[in-house]
Amino acid sequence: MASTRRGIVVFSGGSAANNLVDVFNEITQKRGCSLSYIIPISDNGGSSSELIRVFGGPGIGDIRTELPPSPSPALLDWQSIVAGTSDLWPPIPPPQRELIRSMLNHVNLEILKRARPPHSTFNFTNASIGNLFLTGARLFTGSFESAIYLLTLVGGVNPSIAVIPGVNSNFSHHISARLQNGEEITGQNAISHPSVPTAVPNHPSSLMIDNDEDNHDPEDANLPGSLPTLKQTNIIFSKSADDNLPAPIERVWYINPYGQEIRPVANPKAVSVIGQAEAVVFSIGSLYTSIVPCLILRGIGRALATTAGLRYKILILNGSLDRETGPREKPMNAAAFVAAIARAAEESRGGIGEVDRSQWRQYVSHVVYLEAEGVPKIDKRELAEAGIECVRSWGLKAEDGSAVFDLRGLMGALEAILGRGEGPTAKSRRNTFEGVRPFVE
């Protein structure tokens, strides 16, 4: 029997949020409600960049189990996987194994068909097996959502859990960012990871100039005239937080392959689950390349602001600062995170520019945070003036010295906001979690 309780929606993306999956699962099981993840499709780094180059389609992120980080061993490993002789197969039951292998063989056939040696062959370096499975299933079914559904069936995912792409499309979607100094960077990978600024040409006619080099491009899934930065592969990149952007990010938007701004409509399923939710969680991860690309989609902002039963809109503040939330000399604080979320949601509704603090609570009602060295600073009084409550969580120190959430502590903080979930009459116990030990060395 389906649950009648309103569900929980998590805006997610990137590997950081993967660490919190067990927390979200346990909370929704206790509450007896559904759990939906809304994920961006604008990834163009890692193995996604090679799949986009060869096949086009949405950037599906990294679903792990990777091939080796050099071409020849990676190709040998891939061949053993599709042949069924890899050491990865024995633990997998035969029905699932043969279904997975059939999708991998399907994408392998398509890779061979699209190869144009010696100029263009698929690079399996660091390739994600999950991404390859999803691509094979998408090509086979003609539907990205069907590919995700098949993966959830094969993986034995609880039917009450849904993974919803922010945009329901078989085509690639890319983003650009403008910095406060006026520079523009094109492509998710260039924004999130160290790279040279990749501005779109300022003059529209420059998009029309013939380039002799384009005549020698190998056949791939890119449209003629696509921006060069969107055509390159980004298999190897640095996630170093030491490489600052020249200035803070001011705005993020979607572009077509020629660099012109577009305003995609959100997946109707994403809007629907928000309309049926009691709580929305903005999870940890890359603010401007994971969370914001979902929020600026048309329909998302209105759903967040106007859904009557949506009581809690919880921002889990990152445990560390990164390239997107710098520069190091003047990093974003908690209020800046909230403002960025409100600005993106308002842009979804047609507004561009700063959002008055009186409107912040339409999109964020609570902030869960850590107190430790290197985390975004939080001014509880400033947020309280905007009607936003702050709840502190336990933290642990990672091997690299950064602060990370203790999973039991985070669960306690979320339950302090949402209530324990013993039943429909359970009440929120927000603010009762303040007395716990905030950080553990």
Side-chain angles (χ1 to χ4, degrees):
M1 181 177 176
S3 172
T4 57
R5 296 198 66 174
R6 298 182 70 89
I8 295 176
V9 174
V10 178
F11 283 91
S12 179
S15 55
N18 294 344
N19 299 321
L20 307 186
V21 166
D22 290 342
V23 172
F24 299 136
N25 287 350
E26 186 166 339
I27 287 175
T28 51
Q29 287 171 10
K30 285 182 178 180
R31 299 175 67 80
C33 67
S34 64
L35 173 62
S36 302
Y37 292 91
I38 299 177
I39 59 173
I41 64 165
S42 49
D43 187 6
N44 74 332
S47 61
S48 296
S49 67
E50 184 71 350
L51 289 167
I52 290 171
R53 180 186 71 83
V54 176
F55 297 107
I60 51 184
D62 290 324
I63 298 173
R64 299 293 178 180
T65 299
E66 291 183 344
L67 295 175
S70 55
S72 296
L75 178 58
L76 291 174
D77 273 18
W78 171 249
Q79 290 172 341
S80 70
I81 288 170
V82 295
T85 58
S86 169
D87 292 338
L88 295 173
W89 289 122
I92 302 174
Q96 288 96 320
R97 179 174 67 227
E98 296 311 317
L99 180 56
I100 295 169
R101 201 164 70 88
S102 66
M103 291 298 110
L104 296 181
N105 271 290
H106 183 71
V107 74
N108 189 56
L109 175 61
E110 294 297 325
I111 287 171
L112 294 174
K113 285 165 59 178
R114 288 166 168 77
R116 298 294 183 268
H119 302 293
S120 178
T121 57
F122 192 88
N123 187 344
F124 286 96
T125 300
N126 285 340
S128 161
I129 304 303
N131 286 1
L132 287 160
F133 175 89
L134 282 172
T135 301
R138 179 178 66 83
L139 294 172
F140 182 79
T141 63
S143 166
F144 183 37
E145 286 194 327
S146 295
I148 293 175
Y149 177 66
L150 182 59
L151 182 60
T152 62
L153 289 179
V154 170
V157 176
N158 189 312
S160 66
I161 300 174
V163 178
I164 303 170
V167 179
N168 184 20
S169 175
N170 276 323
F171 297 96
S172 301
H173 283 66
H174 296 284
I175 56 175
S176 278
R178 182 172 60 243
L179 308 183
Q180 290 181 8
N181 66 358
E183 290 186 26
E184 292 183 7
I185 302 178
T186 301
Q188 174 270 336
N189 192 73
I191 298 167
S192 188
H193 306 298
S195 62
V196 176
T198 51
V200 176
N202 289 324
H203 199 285
S205 63
S206 64
L207 297 173
M208 308 291 290
I209 297 174
D210 290 333
N211 187 337
D212 290 340
E213 292 182 1
D214 286 345
N215 297 327
H216 304 291
D217 281 349
E219 296 178 57
D220 57 26
N222 294 294
L223 291 172
S226 296
L227 291 176
T229 186
L230 300 181
K231 295 163 66 175
Q232 68 188 31
T233 55
N234 304 298
I235 294 173
I236 305 296
F237 55 82
S238 171
K239 289 191 175 182
S240 170
D242 294 330
D243 191 281
N244 266 335
L245 286 171
I249 294 174
E250 182 177 81
R251 180 176 176 244
V252 170
W253 64 93
Y254 282 90
I255 58 171
N256 64 19
Y258 312 112
Q260 299 156 328
E261 181 173 353
I262 58 174
R263 295 191 62 223
V265 176
N267 186 340
K269 289 185 178 179
V271 176
S272 176
V273 295
I274 294 173
Q276 299 169 35
E278 181 182 25
V280 162
V281 177
F282 306 106
S283 186
I284 60 173
S286 301
L287 174 65
Y288 282 107
T289 57
S290 292
I291 305 300
V292 167
C294 293
L295 297 181
I296 60 177
L297 296 168
R298 283 189 289 158
I300 295 294
R302 179 177 296 276
L304 288 172
T306 63
T307 297
L310 185 53
R311 299 175 58 195
Y312 310 107
K313 303 162 189 180
I314 305 165
L315 167 62
I316 303 178
L317 204 59
N318 287 349
S320 61
L321 295 160
D322 58 20
R323 172 177 160 91
E324 296 180 22
T325 54
R328 289 188 303 273
E329 300 77 23
K330 191 178 180 181
M332 292 176 65
N333 59 16
F337 273 77
V338 173
I341 289 172
R343 192 164 55 243
E346 277 292 303
E347 184 163 335
S348 163
R349 307 175 72 179
I352 294 180
E354 292 301 319
V355 178
D356 190 88
R357 290 189 183 189
S358 63
Q359 296 178 269
W360 286 3
R361 190 174 163 83
Q362 291 187 78
Y363 307 109
V364 179
S365 63
H366 295 77
V367 173
V368 177
Y369 68 99
L370 294 172
E371 283 187 348
E373 188 70 27
V375 305
K377 301 299 181 184
I378 185 164
D379 185 334
K380 291 186 283 187
R381 178 177 297 179
E382 180 182 18
L383 293 175
E385 289 174 354
I388 297 170
E389 300 182 40
C390 301
V391 179
R392 186 173 53 185
S393 175
W394 293 352
L396 300 171
K397 181 174 285 189
E399 291 182 1
D400 61 1
S402 64
V404 296
F405 282 95
D406 172 79
L407 299 187
R408 304 308 303 180
L410 178 59
M411 186 175 301
L414 292 174
E415 288 180 338
I417 297 169
L418 300 171
R420 300 289 179 182
E422 291 89 345
T425 59
K427 296 181 180 180
S428 168
R429 295 180 176 85
R430 60 193 179 207
N431 291 331
T432 62
F433 205 68
E434 283 287 348
V436 303
R437 180 176 45 178
F439 191 72
V440 179
E441 290 287 346

